[in-house]
Amino acid sequence: MDSRMGIDEDSGETKGGMWDLDQKLDQPMDEEAGKLKNMYREKNFSALLLLRLAFQSLGVVYGDLGTSPLYVFYNTFPHGIDDTEDVIGALSLIIYSLTLIPLLKYVFIVCRANDNGQGGTFALYSLLCRHAKIKIIPNQHRTDEDLTTYSRSTFHEHSFAAKTKRWLEAYPFRKNSLLILVVTGTCTVIGDGILTPAISVLSASGGIKVDHPKMSNDVVVVVAVIILVGLFSLQHYGTDRVGWLFAPVVLLWFLLVGGIGIFNIWKYDSSVLRAFSPVYIYRYFKRRKMEGWTSLGGIMLSITGTETLFADLAHFPVSAIQLAFTVIVFPCLLLTYTGQAAYLMQNKEHVVDAFYRSIPDSIYWPVFVIATLAAIVASQATISATFSIIKQALAHGCFPRVKVVHTSKKFLGQIYIPDINWILMVLCIAVTAGFRNQSQIGNAYGTAVVIVMLVTTFLMTLIMLLVWRCHWVLVLLFTVLSLVVECTYFSAVLFKVDQGGWVPLVIAAAFLVIMYVWHYGTVKRYEFEMHSKVSMAWILGLGPSLGLVRVPGIGLVYTELASGVPHIFSHFITNLPAVHSVVVFVCVKYLPVYTVPEDERFLVKRIGPNSFHMFRCVARYGYRDLHKKDEEFEKKLFDNLFLFIRLENMMEGCSDSDEYSLYGQQTQNSADYLLRNNGSLTTGNNNDFTCSTVDSIILPNQGNNTVTSSAHESSQAEVDEMEFLNRCRDAGVVHILGNTVVRARRDSRFYKKIAIDYIYAFLRKICRENSVIFNVPHESLLNVGQIIYV
């Protein structure tokens, strides 16, 4: 097939006479999906429920940010404190960093940019994909925009937002650059998932040495490693089972550190409160010069966990996040940092373990236990965020297929990825045992965090332009202020690249190569399917038997195409002169939405005349959805297929006035139900709604004899086809999957050969097969092999 035909599945526009004919024969499902109305509504929460959610958010969202006081001052002054005025300057920097980044930027601005409650870099990217055609794999149709969760805004053609949209869409290079930016942010979040448990648990374990100064550092490392192994080994239980313990632990932690801070301010030096004046920041840099500049890498650790706050947004409303931060987290963090500074004013030689030294002796061991538990909770939050963001990347075709286990039926966002869990554990233990001290891990941690923040700033700029449609002055103000603060921190952490800061860069680079190569191979496979799909006119020219023997049974042909006949089907019937009596082309695709409601998941359409017994079924999922991989998927597919036939025959028996009567005379619920399901079939809550119950819902309520007689006229054809489909289903269902091998052309450049022939080929071997994802029995599986050269 000539690739110059300019096929664009997204727009549905094609060039060339044959493809014009195809559009008439196999049109996108505009009519089927157009009946799905936008019904999404924001939830309203009572004051009591909001307080409960704010309390619960402490354990899931703020654990990482809350354990930063364990190591900030040590990483800010790794070589000791020369002048106590430096403590005031460092405290002033911490105060204003917490105010500008977590409070103003993230809690009150970035959290509002969530995708229906979902956070993280890919959630922002999904939001942008709905407002501009920037998705690299153009497998979306206009029909997808009718989903209730596909919220988007329109803007005037000459507005600044429209100009930005056209600028982004103009060249593939810009789309690729944006994707690389998003993937880079994702990779650094994965780096966070490795570094957060390492530094949090190691810092908490270090409290043992305060009571036993002669203890070897090796003992602390061993204790930290044991805790880490236990933490990662418990991940398969999911956060739902142990979540009840998280919030009380973190709340107790914040109240303890806040109370200790007040005690230290009163006992040691209340003059540290002058650090609330930004003048001391200027004096700090004037006095310490370059050394003060590089110490920003330690100050940066006071806001680590902010990026996790956004990635873990899925379970709580933004108002609960804002309430918890402003009432509990922010005041307690300010108090604990100020209390440590007051202690260091009189004990500057104790900066190495300032947090534990500043604890009153009478409550030392209880605080040590709570600190260790809080470090574990902080690690859990970051690991969960890593799982979530990898699943988002997986849905966008940017990560090899891995096993995703949903650990909670109540919260779909709580997942566990075994392969990633053990990779994180090995790397986390390697970092802990390799560096053996907080300082170098802290340098690495700060580098990872600031990169994520910079990526978020760039994406937020586009969100403010395309989604919020803010005035360009406000966008410029937000971008400039954010970049000034974050670029300042970034320049400081660059000085520490050789002191541990290289670790997240190496980790991010490794995952970036994996994710981009996988996405590149996925795009090439999709382009091959698009340009080699079979003409529907050719299929129709074969006649009802397709020019082959029609054997009993149903063939489910899996394809990534939502329109047209895939190449594997023509390849199959060319080599095997037989095809099943019923053929269903199944397209499972992920959309840039957080979820697709169950009753909008399947779209079913007939291909060709009734005698062909050919159908298309598109199953649509959001990046948060649980894919029903067992027999339930096949069952729902057939339930929707049978319901489609019943409704199709019923509609064919109605005139225009009958249709008006059918939808206008019945109750609103029945009308809405039929409107949603005429050509678009139901799952989920409507599992009990089988073909045999259609008459009981529709016909008795008509009060219209014309409709009843029309239904009876078409009933015989309907019964015949239903019986035929049931006989074919009983004869056997065969799942036909393509097994495509991607190879680089001989004249390709060496780096492309390495990427495709080695890296992508290796990832294809170790990732999960489609047959495993769909849980297809081996006896029902038929692989159609083909080799493509890119």
Side-chain angles (χ1 to χ4, degrees):
M1 192 69 62
D2 190 352
S3 62
R4 293 173 295 179
M5 282 186 166
I7 306 164
D8 183 2
E9 190 172 2
D10 186 24
S11 63
E13 297 177 0
T14 56
K15 298 178 182 179
M18 184 64 72
W19 290 107
D20 290 338
L21 177 61
D22 285 345
Q23 286 300 301
K24 297 175 183 177
L25 300 176
D26 186 22
Q27 296 177 358
M29 302 179 184
D30 293 332
E31 183 180 354
E32 287 78 2
K35 299 179 175 62
L36 305 175
K37 306 300 180 183
N38 194 322
M39 299 177 289
Y40 179 77
R41 295 289 184 272
E42 291 288 342
K43 292 182 179 179
N44 293 320
F45 298 93
S46 65
L48 188 61
L49 179 59
L50 192 63
L51 286 174
R52 186 167 68 88
L53 290 170
F55 167 70
Q56 292 176 339
S57 72
L58 289 172
V60 176
V61 176
Y62 293 114
D64 190 6
L65 191 64
T67 53
S68 296
L70 288 169
Y71 43 78
V72 168
F73 276 108
Y74 169 55
N75 284 275
T76 305
F77 302 104
H79 307 297
I81 301 173
D82 298 325
D83 189 344
T84 53
E85 284 298 304
D86 294 341
V87 177
I88 304 294
L91 177 61
S92 188
L93 280 167
I94 292 171
I95 291 170
Y96 284 97
S97 295
L98 284 169
T99 304
L100 292 174
I101 302 297
L103 180 64
L104 296 181
K105 179 186 174 182
Y106 272 85
V107 172
F108 286 105
I109 298 178
V110 175
C111 282
R112 290 184 59 242
N114 62 85
D115 183 16
N116 288 283
Q118 305 299 305
T121 50
F122 263 106
L124 296 179
Y125 181 67
S126 297
L127 205 55
L128 290 173
C129 285
R130 298 207 296 272
H131 290 79
K133 295 178 181 178
I134 56 175
K135 195 174 181 185
I136 309 298
I137 303 179
N139 66 343
Q140 290 176 240
H141 277 284
R142 296 182 302 273
T143 56
D144 299 330
E145 298 176 10
D146 293 317
L147 288 169
T148 58
T149 50
Y150 201 100
S151 56
R152 59 177 295 178
S153 56
T154 56
F155 25 76
H156 193 271
E157 184 180 357
H158 301 291
S159 65
F160 195 76
K163 293 177 182 177
T164 305
K165 177 179 179 290
R166 288 194 294 270
W167 182 84
L168 271 177
E169 297 173 348
Y171 298 101
F173 172 77
R174 293 169 186 169
K175 299 179 184 180
N176 275 306
S177 299
L178 182 61
L179 179 66
I180 291 174
L181 182 70
V182 173
V183 171
T184 301
T186 303
C187 293
T188 47
V189 170
I190 296 173
D192 277 359
I194 296 166
L195 296 169
T196 299
I199 192 170
S200 299
V201 174
L202 188 62
S203 300
S205 304
I208 302 173
K209 289 188 67 176
V210 174
D211 199 54
H212 302 82
K214 295 182 179 180
M215 182 181 293
S216 171
N217 193 51
D218 294 340
V219 177
V220 176
V221 173
V222 169
V223 171
V225 168
I226 291 173
I227 293 174
L228 289 172
V229 170
L231 172 65
F232 283 100
S233 298
L234 293 174
Q235 289 300 311
H236 68 279
Y237 290 110
T239 55
D240 191 41
R241 296 191 181 183
V242 293
W244 62 271
L245 183 64
F246 286 5
V249 166
V250 177
L251 177 61
L252 183 58
W253 166 256
F254 277 120
L255 295 178
L256 273 174
V257 297
I260 293 170
I262 294 173
F263 173 79
N264 288 335
I265 294 170
W266 169 77
K267 180 179 180 180
Y268 294 105
D269 193 345
S270 60
S271 67
V272 293
L273 295 175
R274 54 199 166 108
F276 282 86
S277 170
V279 174
Y280 290 93
I281 297 177
Y282 168 74
R283 295 180 181 177
Y284 178 79
F285 287 123
K286 183 180 179 181
R287 185 169 51 253
R288 300 196 71 193
K289 296 183 172 58
M290 183 56 69
E291 191 178 0
W293 190 268
T294 56
S295 70
L296 285 174
I299 302 291
M300 177 76 199
L301 298 180
S302 64
I303 55 176
T304 55
T306 308
E307 73 292 345
T308 308
L309 177 156
F310 184 50
D312 268 329
L313 200 61
H315 307 308
F316 305 99
V318 175
S319 53
I321 299 289
Q322 293 172 337
L323 181 65
F325 188 84
T326 52
V327 174
I328 299 292
V329 179
F330 187 63
C332 289
L333 285 177
L334 292 184
L335 286 171
T336 186
Y337 285 119
T338 307
Q340 285 188 51
Y343 176 81
L344 290 174
M345 292 292 285
Q346 296 186 16
N347 304 276
K348 60 182 182 180
E349 68 278 1
H350 290 163
V351 70
V352 175
D353 39 27
F355 175 79
Y356 283 113
R357 293 282 186 178
S358 63
I359 299 173
D361 294 336
S362 57
I363 59 170
Y364 177 82
W365 285 110
V367 173
F368 170 75
V369 172
I370 296 297
T372 305
L373 291 175
I376 293 173
V377 172
S379 304
Q380 175 64 55
T382 313
I383 295 167
S384 299
T386 304
F387 291 158
S388 297
I389 206 164
I390 285 178
K391 188 176 186 298
Q392 292 178 14
L394 186 68
H396 283 83
C398 292
F399 203 85
R401 296 183 296 269
V402 291
K403 183 179 182 180
V404 178
V405 180
H406 287 255
T407 58
S408 171
K409 294 181 180 179
K410 188 177 181 181
F411 300 108
L412 286 179
Q414 294 185 359
I415 60 174
Y416 166 64
I417 305 178
D419 300 332
I420 300 300
N421 181 65
W422 303 122
I423 290 173
L424 291 179
M425 186 188 78
V426 171
L427 292 176
C428 189
I429 291 174
V431 168
T432 305
F435 285 122
R436 306 170 67 83
N437 68 78
Q438 305 170 26
S439 180
Q440 288 189 318
I441 300 178
N443 295 338
Y445 194 18
T447 306
V449 169
V450 74
I451 292 174
V452 179
M453 289 182 175
L454 284 169
V455 170
T456 303
T457 297
F458 287 121
L459 293 176
M460 277 301 302
T461 301
L462 294 175
I463 292 289
M464 294 176 77
L465 287 171
L466 295 177
V467 183
W468 293 351
R469 288 178 290 172
C470 298
H471 194 278
W472 66 269
V473 175
L474 291 176
V475 179
L476 185 65
L477 184 65
F478 169 83
T479 306
V480 170
L481 287 177
S482 298
L483 289 179
V484 165
V485 176
E486 289 160 7
C487 287
T488 302
Y489 279 121
F490 186 62
S491 64
V493 298
L494 286 179
F495 285 102
K496 298 187 176 182
V497 169
D498 61 335
Q499 303 172 36
W502 56 270
V503 172
L505 300 179
V506 171
I507 293 172
F511 277 98
L512 179 62
V513 169
I514 291 171
M515 294 175 72
Y516 191 76
V517 168
W518 180 264
H519 184 264
Y520 178 79
T522 303
V523 169
K524 290 303 178 184
R525 287 176 56 227
Y526 182 82
E527 289 177 351
F528 172 79
E529 283 210 39
M530 278 296 300
H531 293 305
S532 61
K533 65 181 181 180
V534 180
S535 165
M536 272 304 302
W538 178 73
I539 293 290
L540 292 180
L542 298 176
S545 68
L546 302 182
L548 304 166
V549 178
R550 299 297 292 264
V551 298
I554 298 179
L556 301 181
V557 183
Y558 289 85
T559 173
E560 295 183 14
L561 300 178
S563 66
V565 177
H567 180 261
I568 63 165
F569 183 70
S570 64
H571 189 59
F572 169 69
I573 62 176
T574 301
N575 290 276
L576 188 66
V579 71
H580 297 89
S581 299
V582 177
V583 177
V584 183
F585 296 105
V586 182
C587 172
V588 178
K589 67 176 182 178
Y590 286 89
L591 302 178
V593 295
Y594 76 106
T595 187
V596 175
E598 289 280 344
D599 57 350
E600 301 176 28
R601 180 149 295 159
F602 286 92
L603 289 177
V604 178
K605 186 178 183 69
R606 187 186 296 276
I607 298 178
N610 290 11
S611 58
F612 278 42
H613 300 298
M614 295 177 66
F615 303 89
R616 179 182 313 287
C617 177
V618 179
R620 305 177 293 184
Y621 291 88
Y623 54 80
R624 196 194 68 170
D625 285 332
L626 168 63
H627 185 265
K628 306 289 186 181
K629 67 178 184 179
D630 51 11
E631 67 278 355
E632 189 174 349
F633 176 80
E634 184 179 314
K635 177 181 178 297
K636 286 187 175 183
L637 189 151
F638 284 116
D639 285 347
N640 283 295
L641 180 60
F642 292 149
L643 185 56
F644 168 78
I645 293 169
R646 170 57 72 85
L647 292 175
E648 180 190 48
N649 280 279
M650 185 177 63
M651 291 300 102
E652 285 179 356
C654 297
S655 64
D656 290 343
S657 59
D658 292 335
E659 283 194 47
Y660 176 80
S661 174
L662 175 67
Y663 293 119
Q665 299 297 325
Q666 47 185 321
T667 63
Q668 185 62 41
N669 288 339
S670 299
D672 289 343
Y673 183 85
L674 284 172
L675 285 172
R676 289 201 307 272
N677 293 287
N678 178 23
S680 169
L681 308 179
T682 61
T683 60
N685 296 331
N686 300 314
N687 284 343
D688 297 329
F689 187 82
T690 61
C691 299
S692 61
T693 61
V694 175
D695 289 333
S696 64
I697 290 181
I698 298 172
L699 297 177
N701 294 321
Q702 306 306 316
N704 191 320
N705 294 329
T706 306
V707 176
T708 306
S709 61
S710 299
H712 284 302
E713 288 175 5
S714 61
S715 62
Q716 187 59 47
E718 170 196 320
V719 170
D720 291 344
E721 186 164 19
M722 296 285 282
E723 289 181 353
F724 177 75
L725 285 176
N726 277 315
R727 287 198 306 271
C728 292
R729 186 179 182 184
D730 293 338
V733 178
V734 176
H735 301 257
I736 304 171
L737 277 74
N739 187 12
T740 306
V741 177
V742 184
R743 298 274 177 83
R745 293 191 181 96
R746 290 185 178 180
D747 58 346
S748 300
R749 297 182 182 273
F750 76 95
Y751 55 82
K752 185 175 180 180
K753 289 183 178 180
I754 293 174
I756 296 297
D757 293 344
Y758 295 97
I759 300 176
Y760 183 75
F762 174 74
L763 293 174
R764 284 271 294 173
K765 284 182 180 179
I766 64 173
C767 77
R768 304 185 86 207
E769 294 290 340
N770 279 326
S771 59
V772 178
I773 294 175
F774 296 113
N775 203 26
V776 177
H778 287 291
E779 61 272 15
S780 303
L781 173 64
L782 181 61
N783 270 320
V784 180
Q786 57 184 354
I787 299 177
I788 66 171
Y789 292 91
V790 298

